[in-house]
Amino acid sequence: MINIQIQLCGLVFDLILIFFISRHESVGITSEKIFRQCLVVYTACIILDITSILAIEYKSILPAMLISFICKLYLVSLLVSCYFAFAYTYNTVTHLRKNERFKWGVLVLVVVGAILIMLTPVYYILDGSVAYSFGPAVKITYVFAPIFILSALFTTFIYGSQMNMHRRKAIRSWMIIEIVAAVIQFLVPQLLIVGFGSSIGLFILYSELENPEVYLDRVAGCFSKDTFKLYLGQEYGYRKRFSAIIVCNELDFKKDDEENKRIIVEMSEFLNSFSYAKLFRLNDNDFALIYDKHLHEMNEIESAVNLDVIRTRFKKTWGNSSYIKTKFLYVPDGDIVTSEDDFIDVYERNRFKFDKDEDLRTLDETTGQAIKEFRQMVLEVKDALETDRIEVFYQPIYSIETGKFVSAEALARIRGTDGKLIMPGKFIPVAEETGLIEAIGERVFSKTCKCIKEHDLKMKGIDYIEVNLSVAQCENPMLSSKYDEIMKLEEVHPGTINLEITESSTVNQKTVLLENMNNLMNMGCRFSLDDFGTGESNLDYIVNMPVNIVKFDRTMVQDYFTNSKAKVVMKATVGMIKDLGLKIVAEGVETQEQVEGIKDLGIDYIQGYVFSKPLSKHDFINFIETKNNVISSIDTPNMNIQNAS
């Protein structure tokens, strides 16, 4: 028998891989596409290798020109397979993948090599059961093919930092096997193992990187969350247009594990039935359908039609008659953002922003612009922290009992690079979402302590300064030790500090908050409950938390003067809080008439524009020095915003 046993083994390997790969839908990621192309080319190469050997065996009945052509065609396929190996490797490196001149240069090299092979003579030998080709065409192949194999190998070393560890190792193993097989066949021409070596290399690549199973979610059977990000990265990298439907299921089905799996599988099978869309399972129980407009011009219309069908189906039950609360995000055009990270941010930020009765939200250019502004503000906050552009403004708080300003609330501001102030409504939500709020809170606390010490506020009639604590700070076990360290560093007595918390501070880590509060209270700090009346705070919370002061929110205060029912509720609330021995601050007081009403209600302190807007440190010191001296003998001040500022 002619020496094709090894090639047949390699062919069987390749056909097995083709069978397994063909059983799965292609996600369309570049590396996956090139691997599939490699598999086809390498399989064709082995078939041509076998064909050339058979042609040599039957040289007595076949034209010499045909045999020569088949042998050369095999050599060209060998060169092309080496090219695809290099293409698979360099496509992992972003700047090489995007460099059109580089890619055309590599392609030209392949074409030149193929032309030279076809133009130069090839000879062949048939000695018993051994048949192989040799001559100038073979030598040219052995000149050009190693260029691509070695280039692929060197790429894994030069640009290894842009590849994950498994990809580097798999490609290196593949190329080393190719090199060893080529060297052996070059030294022993009758031992035809290049094709088999290539098949072994592809099998390693399949096992390590390109098994379609790695792209799938194990439970749902559709593509996974990690694959979703890879796919989006490619779509944005190649500037392709797509539309998307994101199915936002409730986070916890509150079913047993078997029922949860049954529901997920049923949803996945239903959503996977839609044409022209790729299905991904995202965080928890969410799904995303991506419609590639590049592949089908009608996909935007298709996605809109499918959306109605999907919404109708999700109003029905799943599994064993389980009803699942579901909302939908619809993205008519992925161009609303410019990267996969931005798109995922859009999804994650809007996923929890549905109104109470809203089940569908369409995300458009406005959403994309919001993400851009969000990212710009993140950079602004980080730079402000690095360059010390966080400023503290102080809003004075008036004591009805003493007729003086006895405290103030410290409020964070950012001084923009243009010199203008950035108000907290713009940067505080961003800081809270990104975790930067802790650094801002710590900076405000430190600067407040400096102000208390440097300007001897106690001698100016200021008993304490109120400083807000964010939810993140309250849930940080190191809060009390950090603030103790700052107060000792600035030589500030804890009694001059009043820390403001909100009810939301205890949602996740109430135990940690209570421990922090107890530690700080033992040092001498006091606490107040902020934003009472906004729906975040309630009387049960006041009873169970060790606070000294309750601050009525501006909305609650304003309602007192405009709503008769709110007036009754507020009077009763004031009575209950006073019976608990706590002090009350009314925020957002804006007129002299409101001042008189607040006094009659029995509230202890007033904070609002009727006295002063928040002031810079310098203006606050001047305000306190002036007003406390002037109003010390006056029962009720008659000041307005203009005077205060």
Side-chain angles (χ1 to χ4, degrees):
M1 184 178 179
I2 204 72
N3 58 329
I4 59 172
Q5 297 92 337
I6 297 178
Q7 289 92 327
L8 288 173
C9 289
L11 181 60
V12 170
F13 265 119
D14 288 355
L15 292 176
I16 290 173
L17 291 182
I18 290 173
F19 170 75
F20 281 116
I21 286 177
S22 64
R23 293 171 63 243
H24 295 277
E25 177 190 2
S26 170
V27 68
I29 294 172
T30 302
S31 65
E32 178 196 39
K33 289 179 180 178
I34 299 177
F35 176 76
R36 293 186 178 215
Q37 292 167 354
C38 280
L39 190 53
V40 171
V41 170
Y42 274 65
T43 303
C45 182
I46 291 179
I47 292 173
L48 284 170
D49 190 9
I50 295 171
T51 304
S52 67
I53 294 172
L54 292 174
I56 294 171
E57 183 182 13
Y58 293 101
K59 66 177 181 177
S60 59
I61 61 175
L62 294 175
M65 186 175 293
L66 178 60
I67 298 172
S68 177
F69 177 77
I70 293 173
C71 289
K72 289 181 180 181
L73 203 57
Y74 158 65
L75 295 174
V76 170
S77 70
L78 188 60
L79 176 62
V80 172
S81 65
C82 292
Y83 158 74
F84 270 94
F86 181 43
Y88 179 88
T89 306
Y90 77 64
N91 264 275
T92 308
V93 183
T94 304
H95 77 275
L96 293 180
R97 183 178 67 244
K98 293 182 177 180
N99 190 330
E100 294 298 325
R101 292 180 64 183
F102 169 78
K103 291 193 292 186
W104 276 107
V106 174
L107 193 58
V108 167
L109 189 62
V110 176
V111 173
V112 170
I115 291 173
L116 289 175
I117 290 170
M118 297 304 292
L119 292 179
T120 52
V122 63
Y123 309 114
Y124 40 85
I125 290 177
L126 178 62
D127 183 10
S129 63
V130 176
Y132 60 91
S133 56
F134 67 98
V138 174
K139 290 180 179 178
I140 289 173
T141 305
Y142 273 94
V143 169
F144 279 85
I147 292 175
F148 296 110
I149 295 174
L150 292 173
S151 295
L153 185 61
F154 291 153
T155 299
T156 65
F157 289 99
I158 297 172
Y159 301 106
S161 60
Q162 297 188 38
M163 307 176 190
N164 65 55
M165 179 179 63
H166 296 292
R167 187 167 296 275
R168 289 197 305 268
K169 288 183 176 180
I171 293 175
R172 287 171 186 171
S173 299
W174 180 23
M175 292 302 101
I176 289 171
I177 290 172
E178 293 265 20
I179 291 169
V180 170
V183 169
I184 291 174
Q185 186 166 317
F186 180 77
L187 296 175
V188 188
Q190 62 270 29
L191 193 59
L192 307 178
I193 63 170
V194 167
F196 182 74
S198 299
S199 297
I200 295 297
L202 287 175
F203 190 80
I204 291 173
L205 210 61
Y206 173 86
S207 302
E208 290 286 330
L209 303 174
E210 299 301 339
N211 185 341
E213 295 285 343
V214 304
Y215 297 117
L216 300 179
D217 181 272
R218 295 287 179 135
V219 176
C222 60
F223 296 123
S224 66
K225 180 179 70 174
D226 291 336
T227 307
F228 180 64
K229 187 170 182 179
L230 286 173
Y231 182 78
L232 285 181
Q234 180 172 292
E235 294 294 281
Y236 283 111
Y238 288 108
R239 297 182 179 178
K240 292 182 180 180
R241 297 182 63 205
F242 65 89
S243 56
I245 299 171
I246 301 178
V247 180
C248 304
N249 288 308
E250 56 185 291
L251 296 180
D252 185 3
F253 291 163
K254 296 180 181 178
K255 314 290 180 184
D256 60 62
D257 289 344
E258 290 301 318
E259 178 67 357
N260 282 350
K261 289 179 181 178
R262 187 179 294 112
I263 293 170
I264 289 296
V265 170
E266 191 176 340
M267 286 181 176
S268 177
E269 290 178 351
F270 166 71
L271 293 170
N272 217 13
S273 65
F274 292 95
S275 303
Y276 308 114
K278 295 187 185 298
L279 178 65
F280 303 84
R281 185 185 179 192
L282 307 184
N283 298 332
D284 300 305
N285 303 318
D286 294 355
F287 291 90
L289 281 163
I290 302 296
Y291 295 78
D292 194 333
K293 297 181 182 180
H294 177 73
L295 297 177
H296 195 273
E297 293 180 356
M298 297 295 288
N299 271 358
E300 183 175 345
I301 298 174
E302 185 89 19
S303 63
V305 172
N306 289 352
L307 178 59
D308 290 335
V309 176
I310 292 168
R311 289 175 69 193
T312 300
R313 172 62 186 90
F314 271 78
K315 291 177 182 178
K316 301 176 182 179
T317 59
W318 300 92
N320 293 327
S321 301
S322 297
Y323 176 76
I324 306 300
K325 295 178 182 178
T326 307
K327 298 180 183 296
F328 302 89
L329 296 172
Y330 178 52
V331 185
D333 197 325
D335 282 349
I336 61 172
V337 292
T338 57
S339 72
E340 68 274 22
D341 289 333
D342 286 352
F343 188 93
I344 292 172
D345 274 354
V346 165
Y347 152 61
E348 291 179 343
R349 296 186 71 217
N350 284 276
R351 196 239 180 276
F352 299 100
K353 291 186 177 180
F354 288 95
D355 295 330
K356 184 177 181 181
D357 298 322
E358 182 184 25
D359 77 328
L360 173 63
R361 173 167 291 193
T362 299
L363 307 181
D364 54 19
E365 294 83 0
T366 304
T367 310
Q369 184 60 34
I371 283 292
K372 292 178 183 177
E373 292 174 357
F374 176 84
R375 290 188 176 277
Q376 289 172 354
M377 187 54 66
V378 170
L379 295 175
E380 181 71 46
V381 172
K382 287 181 177 178
D383 185 68
L385 286 165
E386 290 176 3
T387 58
D388 197 26
R389 290 189 286 111
I390 304 293
E391 296 185 13
V392 182
F393 275 51
Y394 301 87
Q395 187 169 29
I397 297 175
Y398 176 77
S399 169
I400 292 175
E401 180 182 356
T402 65
K404 294 182 179 182
F405 292 96
V406 296
S407 62
E409 181 177 359
L411 300 163
R413 300 287 188 269
I414 289 179
R415 181 72 63 179
T417 53
D418 59 359
K420 297 180 180 179
L421 284 177
I422 300 174
M423 303 307 285
K426 288 188 175 182
F427 68 85
I428 292 295
V430 174
E432 288 176 338
E433 191 168 334
T434 57
L436 293 169
I437 192 66
E438 287 195 74
I440 292 176
E442 194 171 318
R443 187 71 56 87
V444 168
F445 185 74
S446 178
K447 290 194 172 188
T448 299
C449 289
K450 286 180 184 293
C451 179
I452 293 172
K453 174 68 183 305
E454 290 176 0
H455 297 280
D456 198 5
L457 295 186
K458 193 74 174 177
M459 294 300 294
K460 293 178 172 59
I462 300 299
D463 296 329
Y464 59 87
I465 298 291
E466 296 183 347
V467 183
N468 289 282
L469 289 178
S470 66
V471 173
Q473 287 177 289
C474 291
E475 295 177 353
N476 186 344
M478 300 302 295
L479 172 70
S480 56
S481 59
K482 278 185 179 180
Y483 274 30
D484 181 37
E485 184 180 336
I486 291 172
M487 287 185 289
K488 288 177 178 177
L489 179 66
E490 303 299 340
E491 298 179 335
V492 167
H493 190 279
T496 60
I497 297 295
N498 188 87
L499 298 168
E500 295 187 5
I501 61 171
T502 61
E503 183 184 0
S504 59
S505 303
T506 68
V507 171
N508 298 316
Q509 297 287 342
K510 186 173 182 178
T511 303
V512 176
L513 171 62
L514 285 171
E515 186 175 341
N516 278 321
M517 290 181 73
N518 288 327
N519 290 340
L520 288 163
M521 288 174 67
N522 289 336
M523 296 173 199
C525 295
R526 290 178 292 178
F527 282 84
S528 61
L529 178 62
D530 197 15
D531 295 334
F532 187 87
T534 63
E536 294 293 341
S537 303
N538 55 57
L539 291 173
D540 179 67
Y541 189 78
I542 295 173
V543 170
N544 290 292
M545 297 302 290
V547 295
N548 308 100
I549 299 172
V550 177
K551 300 189 73 173
F552 284 176
D553 178 74
R554 177 187 179 279
T555 302
M556 185 177 182
V557 172
Q558 293 300 318
D559 285 348
Y560 174 78
F561 295 102
T562 58
N563 187 313
S564 58
K565 290 183 179 180
K567 180 172 289 191
V568 173
V569 171
M570 189 163 170
K571 283 182 178 179
T573 303
V574 168
M576 285 186 287
I577 294 174
K578 298 296 286 184
D579 287 344
L580 291 171
L582 305 178
K583 300 290 186 179
I584 302 174
V585 177
E587 296 182 297
V589 180
E590 298 178 350
T591 67
Q592 185 63 33
E593 291 73 21
Q594 289 177 351
V595 170
E596 297 299 333
I598 292 298
K599 286 180 60 180
D600 294 339
L601 191 57
I603 287 176
D604 304 282
Y605 306 103
I606 298 175
Q607 177 181 349
Y609 272 27
V610 67
F611 296 129
S612 175
K613 63 183 180 181
L615 302 169
S616 66
K617 182 176 69 172
H618 177 267
D619 291 342
F620 170 67
I621 299 303
N622 288 339
F623 178 92
I624 292 301
E625 289 177 343
T626 302
K627 301 302 178 181
N628 273 357
N629 287 337
V630 170
I631 68 173
S632 58
S633 61
I634 300 177
D635 180 44
T636 303
N638 186 13
M639 291 175 277
N640 52 42
I641 299 172
Q642 287 75 21
N643 290 335
S645 61

